[in-house]
Amino acid sequence: MALTESVPTAAPPAHEGILRRQSLRESAARTYARSLPIVPVRARGLTIEGADGRRYLDCLSGAGTLALGHNHPVVLEAIRTVLDSGAPLHILDLATPVKDAFITELFATLPEELAEKGRIQFCGPAGTDAVEAAFTLVRTATGREGLMAFSGAYHGMTAQALAASGGARHTDVVRLPYPYDYRCPFGTGGARGAELAARWTRSLLDDPKSGVPDPAGMILEPVQGEGGVIPAPDSWLRRMRELTTERRIPLIVDEVQTGVGRTGAFWAIEHSGIVPDVLVLSKAIGGSLPLAVIVYREELDAWQPGAHAGTFRGNQLAMAAGRATLAYVRENGLDRRAGELGARMLARLTALAAAHDCIGDVRGRGLMLGVEIVDRDAEADATGARPADPRLAAAVQHACLDRGLIVELGGRHSAVVRLLPPLTITDEQADAILDRLADALTAAVRTTPGPMGPSPTTTRGISP
Ligand code: PMP
C-alpha cells in the first residue's frame, strides 16, 4: 500500500452512517472511537484505509499489539495454515501441536532461568486476565494477601488489575513511587530521583510500623505505557529485584505492552538483566489475535487445578499467529532494529522539542515513544516541569488525524502523545510519521489557546 494519502473526496454515506450508528448504539465507555472517528476497512503494515478512502499511518498499532503491523504475510500464512489443516479452533486448555509449537518458540526467547525452569499458564484472552492470574498465583504461593504497585501504572480493567493501576479509586494495594524524571515526585529527577524512589520502597518494607504488611507480590512495568511512556532506569529495576529477592517477595513484571521487541530488546527486562518471578504477557504474543499468558518460576506453582480457569484459553489461531510473530521478530532482529530506529526517532523528537515550547519532555525506549505536551505559557516549577496541557494534546491528536496519522494520548493527564509504530517500519515511514507530527504540532499550537484561554473553535471534520 502506498504511503501517500489518496486525495479524499466527500466521505461516502456508508462511512458517515457507520459512525452515526456507532455513536447511537455503542456504549458511552467507548474510548479510541471517540478521538479517532474513522472506519477502517483495509490495513497492511503501518497503513490503515478508511471507508472514506483516506489512508492513515497507524502509530497506535492496536494499543501496541501489532509488532509486525497489520496483516503481515507471515501472520496471515500461519492463520491460513491452521484453518486449512482442519485443526480444532477451540480446545479449552488441551494440548495441541499448535500450542506446543507456540510454547517452544516463546520459551526460546525467555531468559534461561525462566526458559529452563518456567511454567506457563494460559489465561483468558486479555492482558488483564493474565494480571489477575499472576496475583492469584503469588497469593497462593506465599499465603499472603497484600500487593505493591506503582503510581501511574496500568495493568488492566478487571477488579484486581484495576486496583493495582494508577487510576484505581478504591484500593488496598500499596502504592509506591515510580521514577519519573520530568515530574519527579522528589523534585530531583535523574539518578537521584530513582534512588530516592527505591529508598522509599525499602523503608516501607523494613519499617515495622510502616503500616504495610508483608506483600504477596510487587508488580511493575519496565516502561510505563499508558502512564505516559516512562522508562524505568535499569539501575532502579535492579534495586527492585534486589529488594524483592532479599525479602522473598515475588516480583511480577508486566510486559504486556513492552514485550516482543518493542523497547529494543526482545523483552524489556533484558535491558536491566533482571529476571522476574512472574512475567505477564499478552498483546503482541498473539500476533494480533487475543492471547495472554503468565510464565513463572516453578517454585510458585502451588495452586490447585482450576485455580485460574477460563473458557477461552485455547485460541489456536492466536497461538499460530503468535508463534509466527515471535519467530519473525527473533529471526529478523526486529528488537535491535526497534532500538536503533527508536533512538533516531527520539533524536528527531528532541530537536522538535527544542523548536516547540509546548513540548515539555520527549522520552521512550525503542519504538515506544512519548511527547509530553505542556502549557507553553506557564512557569516551570523548580525542577523545570510545566503543567500538562491536555487540551493542546487533544488538538495535536486531531491535527495528526487530519494529516493521516493515528496517534494515541496517554499519561497522567492524557497529555502525552504516544507513538507505537510497528517494528517493521522503514526509515522513510519513520520520517513520514515525524513530518506529519511536526506539522500537526505547528497547526495545533496556532489554533489552540492556552489552558486558561477560551474554548478552541474547531473546524475539523473527518473529511476535508
Ligand atoms: N498491562 C499493560 C502494561 C497494558 O498496557 C495493558 C493494556 N494497555 C494491560 C495490562 C491490559 O491488557 P488488556 O487491555 O488486554 O486487558
Side-chain angles (χ1 to χ4, degrees), residues 32 63 125-129 131 154-158 161 221 223-226 254-258 280 282-283 291-292 368 418:
Y32 305 104
T128 196
D129 192 66
V131 170
Y154 186 79
H155 299 294
M157 280 279 164
T158 49
E221 295 155 89
V223 180
Q224 284 191 344
E226 308 302 329
D254 180 343
E255 288 239 31
V256 166
Q257 193 164 138
T258 50
V280 183
S282 187
K283 292 202 196 270
L291 191 63
M368 196 168 174
R418 304 186 58 204

Side-chain angles (χ1 to χ4, degrees), residues 33 104 135 144 194 205 224 244 310 347 359 363 404 410 420 459:
T104 302
F135 292 165
R144 301 190 293 254
L205 288 168
Q224 284 191 344
T244 48
I359 299 180
R363 52 184 180 255
L420 289 163
T459 53

